[in-house]
Amino acid sequence: MCGIVGYIGDRNAQEILTGGLRRLEYRGYDSAGIVTTNDAGKATRLRAKGKVAELDEKVLAHKKTDHVGIGHTRWATHGVPSERNAHPHRVGAIYLVHNGIIENYRDIKELLTTKGYAFNSDTDTEVLTALVDLFYKTQSTKNLLAAVSEALQMAVGAYGIAVLAADSPEELVVARKGSPLVIGVSEGEVYVASDPSALVGHTDQVIYLKDGEIATCRREGVELYDIATNVVEKVVEKLELDLQAIQKKGFDHFLLKEIYEQPDTLRSTLSGRVQLEGMYAKLGGLNMSDKELSEVEHVLVVGCGTAYYAGQLASYYIEQCSDKVTVQVAIASELRYRSFNLPKNTVALVVSQSGETADTHACLRELQKRGIRCLGIVNAVGSTIAREVDGGVYVHVGAEISVASTKAFTSQVAAMLLFGLVVAQAKGAGKQEIGAYLQELDALPDEITRIIEEHAEEMKQLAKTYASYEHALFMGRDTMFPVALEGALKLKEISYIQAEGYAAGELKHGPIALVDDRFFEVALVADNLLYEKSMSNLIEINARGGHTIVLTDSDKPIDAEAVVRISTKLKLLSPLLFNVLLQLFAYHMAVERGNDVDQPRNLAKSVTVE
Ligand code: G6P
């Protein structure tokens, strides 16, 4: 989603800012802009609809040697994507970039209109900029910190902002409430970003702003304040992210790199947590005693998008691990607005790759308000959700740059399964029951490597055959059902093919009416007790002239247009192998259709507004 960068120091601000914005491109955006000022207070604002490359051209035509500035990539919420609506917004001497939404912007706009302000854009951000300007210009001292503080005390909503006053180019003021901001400090310079990946290579010393904090950034250093400008103590942390992690390493796309990385990233998730010698699972960061774990009776999993589907799949495993635990999986945007009841001894697993998804974060706050213990299943270290949960499991998959999530899914499922095992252990489950899962988890990375090696080309060829279709139906039973849902999501996200995931048993209750020449169907058929049931679904589709692709780990004869047969020793975790193949399939479909694989249209990586 929207991205913020800022810089003050001795280097060329235009270069630093556009470089930072390129790092944030992966989050999804539709316009970009920067403003820099020189020592005499002359500002140069450049904005462009479309990609940062368009902005680069403008920078080339208006090169400056300024050393301070702010920049933004915008994902439209209020007002269409256009140069006029792109940030930074300017009112008087004030320039401002903003992530999030100012909910009461209409009221503020009305008030400002009575004071003579007129507006050039359709955005809530311009209104906030004008409000800062109002307070700034009415002060005798022109104190930017005080003006921002006063404006934010009137604003309702979520924001991460960076503000510059052209006539006081020696400082930037930044603030956050509900939308992340991180400040990078180095000798004589300060960097600002909404995502730490923009800071990599510049500094590894960072300050994560907390909700309700404002900071002044000057060459000499950073000062933190609360919203009422009382000084707050700052904590400088080490950023654990390197350049390697955010490069393509020879792959054509980040998505493909991230699919191929899965054996390694999964090993990082499992490292130290799967103990084959003593046959136990170990999670260090739960902040729960064995007694507390043994008392868990209900698990609520909450997330959005791929994280939600990871929760769906994990729910089967957690319930398999212990017959004394029930599991419920909720879409965060639904849970946050409905009335819901939870049984006693519930633990919530809050699942988010970015750790910043607004709906998921809102659920976390609501659950904590109700006194529910919340554990994070998070990737981004230091992210908002990771900081606010009561404990949790970092999945440690490194930077996931492609908008469509792949490696995070696999590791989220593994991490939640480990949680299920830890609870089962605490409840007295035997080594044998636990051991079956631990052995499969241990074998999974190598199995993924082998499956990719054996089937990557096959998935590519399959994509060539089916890339011209506009509709697809994915179906599976039991643990293959969530994989069908995630496979359909992956395909629609990056190929723009309309794809639906279905529980195969539901076929007769609706979707079979769709089967015709414009559709293809992907059936995930596990070689288990439900094999015959899955086969009868297939027969029903074939009888209606469907175009079926079957992915199976069975070697029995199957009548379908295409059959992908995998052989694996995994019985419990084979759905994760099927999922990797569906990731490859979606990738090649998107490539065949000439799409922007890593930054699909209209999508954002980290959805920080609801
Ligand atoms: C966006 C992304 C998805 C992701 C979802 C949840 O929609 O495009 O790939 O699954 O957000 O993100 P999270 O960071 O909370 O896992």
Side-chain angles (χ1 to χ4, degrees), residues 197-482:
S197 61
L199 306 180
V200 175
H202 295 309
T203 177
D204 63 358
Q205 297 298 299
V206 296
I207 302 166
Y208 292 97
L209 232 59
K210 296 197 189 76
D211 269 356
E213 286 181 350
I214 308 183
T216 54
C217 308
R218 295 165 169 259
R219 281 182 185 77
E220 314 82 71
V222 175
E223 296 301 334
L224 284 198
Y225 305 88
D226 67 14
I227 191 96
T229 69
N230 301 304
V231 175
V232 171
E233 199 192 335
K234 60 177 184 250
V235 183
V236 181
E237 298 178 44
K238 190 166 186 323
L239 178 64
E240 307 285 350
L241 195 65
D242 61 21
L243 264 181
Q244 276 263 350
I246 54 171
Q247 286 166 349
K248 281 192 199 149
K249 294 189 195 153
F251 285 91
D252 288 344
H253 298 97
F254 280 108
L255 186 73
L256 191 60
K257 175 194 147 212
E258 287 159 10
I259 294 172
Y260 272 76
E261 266 175 356
Q262 287 177 100
D264 286 339
T265 52
L266 183 61
R267 277 187 201 102
S268 306
T269 312
L270 302 176
S271 173
R273 293 166 170 170
V274 171
Q275 300 286 341
L276 284 186
E277 264 181 28
M279 271 309 169
Y280 63 95
K282 188 176 157 212
L283 290 173
L286 299 180
N287 300 332
M288 289 175 78
S289 65
D290 275 355
K291 180 168 179 296
E292 286 168 331
L293 284 165
S294 73
E295 285 166 359
V296 173
E297 285 171 23
H298 185 70
V299 178
L300 166 70
V301 188
V302 58
C304 297
T306 290
Y308 167 68
Y309 292 140
Q312 290 259 29
L313 179 52
S315 73
Y316 287 77
Y317 292 133
I318 298 172
E319 288 208 8
Q320 283 169 19
C321 289
S322 170
D323 57 9
K324 295 184 188 70
V325 176
T326 54
V327 186
Q328 160 194 10
V329 192
I331 297 171
S333 56
E334 283 297 311
L335 187 76
R336 68 181 288 190
Y337 292 119
R338 57 170 284 187
S339 68
F340 62 93
N341 305 313
L342 292 169
K344 71 175 172 59
N345 294 338
T346 294
V347 166
L349 299 182
V350 182
V351 192
S352 176
Q353 186 285 126
S354 64
E356 302 293 351
T357 301
D359 285 320
T360 312
H361 182 228
C363 286
L364 166 63
R365 291 251 165 116
E366 173 59 29
L367 290 163
Q368 284 182 327
K369 223 191 285 169
R370 292 172 179 226
I372 304 291
R373 184 192 294 270
C374 294
L375 302 176
I377 305 292
V378 173
N379 184 38
V381 176
S383 57
T384 308
I385 293 174
R387 285 168 176 272
E388 293 187 13
V389 285
D390 306 303
V393 188
Y394 273 124
V395 295
H396 291 311
V397 302
E400 193 182 64
I401 302 287
S402 180
V403 166
S405 183
T406 52
K407 59 180 179 174
F409 176 89
T410 304
S411 285
Q412 284 160 349
V413 175
M416 284 185 269
L417 167 54
L418 283 167
F419 175 73
L421 292 172
V422 165
V423 170
Q425 270 167 203
K427 286 177 178 293
K431 286 198 188 313
Q432 219 181 344
E433 298 147 77
I434 305 281
Y437 285 99
L438 291 179
Q439 268 157 352
E440 291 221 357
L441 278 171
D442 185 61
L444 187 59
D446 286 348
E447 284 293 278
I448 295 178
T449 304
R450 194 177 53 74
I451 292 295
I452 292 179
E453 270 167 17
E454 287 175 8
H455 297 282
E457 185 55 31
E458 197 177 355
M459 300 321 287
K460 187 173 174 182
Q461 293 312 321
L462 211 56
K464 282 195 196 308
T465 311
Y466 291 93
S468 59
Y469 284 74
E470 288 306 327
H471 311 279
L473 201 57
F474 286 65
M475 62 209 152
R477 285 170 179 270
D478 194 57
T479 47
M480 290 297 180
F481 169 41

Side-chain angles (χ1 to χ4, degrees), residues 308-309 312 474-475 480-490 492 500-503 524:
Y308 167 68
Y309 292 140
Q312 290 259 29
F474 286 65
M475 62 209 152
M480 290 297 180
F481 169 41
V483 176
L485 294 172
E486 170 60 10
L489 176 66
K490 215 54 34 199
K492 80 177 83 154
E500 289 191 51
Y502 252 95
L524 308 173

Side-chain angles (χ1 to χ4, degrees), residues 480-556:
M480 290 297 180
F481 169 41
V483 176
L485 294 172
E486 170 60 10
L489 176 66
K490 215 54 34 199
L491 189 68
K492 80 177 83 154
E493 281 179 309
I494 59 175
S495 76
Y496 316 146
I497 290 172
Q498 184 228 341
E500 289 191 51
Y502 252 95
E506 281 288 286
L507 195 63
K508 286 194 203 64
H509 300 292
I512 200 162
L514 297 172
V515 173
D516 70 14
D517 255 1
R518 295 167 302 165
F519 267 82
F520 68 88
E521 296 82 24
V522 179
L524 308 173
V525 180
D527 190 9
N528 59 20
L529 283 175
L530 294 170
Y531 176 83
E532 289 307 332
K533 304 249 178 242
S534 302
M535 287 318 293
S536 51
N537 294 138
L538 205 59
I539 291 164
E540 287 155 13
I541 294 175
N542 284 344
R544 286 157 182 86
H547 301 278
T548 42
I549 304 170
V550 174
L551 267 65
T552 184
D553 54 355
S554 158
D555 50 15
K556 298 177 191 122

Side-chain angles (χ1 to χ4, degrees), residues 27 40 48 51 74 106 112 120-121 148 176 183 189 239 250 272 280 304 306 325 498 503 536:
R27 298 167 63 93
K51 297 283 174 186
R74 173 174 186 258
R106 282 195 191 85
L112 290 168
N120 299 312
S121 76
V148 170
R176 90 160 262 182
I183 300 171
E189 53 182 8
L239 178 64
Y280 63 95
C304 297
T306 290
V325 176
Q498 184 228 341
S536 51

